Amino acid sequence: MSRVRTMLSPVSVAVLTLLVAMSSIQAGASVAKRLFPLVGAQGATALRLFFAALMLLAFWRPWRQTLTRKELLAVAVYGAALGGMNLTFYLALERIPLGIAVAIEFTGPLAVALLSTRRPIDFVWAFLAMAGILLILPLSETSKALDWMGVFWALVAGTCWALYILFGQRAGASVHGGTATSLGMAMAAVLVCPLGVAHAGRGLLDVSLLPMALGVAVMSSALPYSLEMIALKRLPARTFGILMSLEPALAALSGLVFLREQLTLIQWAAIGCVILASAGSAATSKPGVAAAPEAVS
């Protein structure tokens, strides 16, 4: 094992770490989808956020840092965006395939990246992203299997992801990253858990759901967050952004392997357009521009 480690450069280790993190998130989403028939998307979101918040609070212990009212407000808004992103993504996932949901949601951070520049090349990436979304939308016979509400919720999740990035940057500018994340996750849980209880009721107290709920919290939050921190320290922002662009493909493969979700060639082409748009935007970004945070969906 030690010989293998010496053969890998720090960058190679960081790339593998990030790939594991992204795969973990999509595997967690696949497990979460199995909870939907039992407690619904609202209940699954509540369980995931509740246990993820407990884990992050126990690890970061944010109460050790005193925050001003302005900082608390920034963290609260960040947490609201995080909760909305998780809930609407699961509402979308309840109705459409995982790969499609992630591809549509990816338009959120892509829009943040493209709207921050005015270069001609960025219009190419915007056109590719729009082409991908148009191919996904159920406008023709080839895509009629998609649920319109699922597409709508995925677009809302993308909007929440964009807000999560913007408000997350503001919260992180004045508050320690671990403190902001743990308190933000706690705020998200406070906002979403009542909706989960209202929808699933006592079903959330079923002990048999605990292994899956903990698995989703670990795979979708605790583990990938920790791995991304390792990768971010060793990877340039541009490289991080390009690698993140693979996430819709990983989501589609996860849906195929774990959920047996078959996509059409047109849907695969649509995912490819979104990936190319995201990778192109990251590859042509100015050096030093921070990559968008990983989705916590």
Side-chain angles (χ1 to χ4, degrees), residues 50-65 176-183 185-186 217-218 221-230 233:
F50 176 77
F51 286 112
L54 287 182
M55 293 176 189
L56 290 173
L57 289 171
F59 183 79
W60 290 110
R61 291 177 288 177
W63 50 84
R64 297 180 300 176
Q65 181 177 353
H176 182 272
T179 298
T181 301
S182 56
L183 289 178
M185 188 69 73
V218 171
S221 297
L223 178 61
Y225 177 82
S226 302
L227 293 178
E228 284 164 21
M229 290 300 101
I230 297 173
K233 292 179 181 178

Side-chain angles (χ1 to χ4, degrees), residues 88-294:
T88 53
F89 177 75
Y90 276 9
L91 287 171
L93 192 57
E94 194 174 31
R95 295 166 173 83
I96 60 178
L98 175 58
I100 299 297
V102 172
I104 297 175
E105 186 195 29
F106 232 73
T107 58
L110 184 56
V112 172
L114 293 177
L115 291 175
S116 63
T117 64
R118 293 293 186 272
R119 299 171 304 162
I121 187 64
D122 291 320
F123 288 99
V124 176
W125 312 133
F127 174 79
L128 269 175
M130 290 176 61
I133 297 304
L134 288 175
L135 286 173
I136 288 174
L137 293 178
L139 301 175
S140 64
E141 291 297 317
T142 56
S143 56
K144 64 180 181 180
L146 285 183
D147 185 294
W148 267 109
M149 282 303 299
V151 173
F152 168 77
W153 285 123
L155 289 171
V156 176
T159 303
C160 290
W161 190 356
L163 295 174
Y164 162 81
I165 293 171
L166 297 174
F167 290 115
Q169 289 173 342
R170 293 182 185 180
S174 56
V175 182
H176 182 272
T179 298
T181 301
S182 56
L183 289 178
M185 188 69 73
M187 172 60 70
V190 168
L191 293 175
V192 174
C193 281
L195 299 177
V197 172
H199 180 81
R202 294 183 179 179
L204 295 176
L205 300 178
D206 188 346
V207 179
S208 65
L209 300 181
L210 187 59
M212 280 196 292
L214 288 174
V216 172
V218 171
M219 289 189 291
S220 296
S221 297
L223 178 61
Y225 177 82
S226 302
L227 293 178
E228 284 164 21
M229 290 300 101
I230 297 173
L232 277 169
K233 292 179 181 178
R234 300 181 179 181
L235 286 177
R238 181 178 298 177
T239 305
F240 184 86
I242 293 172
L243 288 171
M244 267 189 59
S245 305
L246 297 174
E247 189 155 12
L250 291 174
L253 290 174
S254 182
L256 178 64
V257 172
F258 298 110
L259 302 171
R260 298 182 180 179
E261 294 177 339
Q262 300 285 344
L263 302 182
T264 66
L265 288 177
I266 290 181
Q267 289 170 339
W268 277 106
I271 291 174
C273 287
V274 174
I275 291 173
L276 287 175
S278 181
S281 176
T284 58
S285 63
K286 295 180 180 180
V289 176
E294 175 65 68

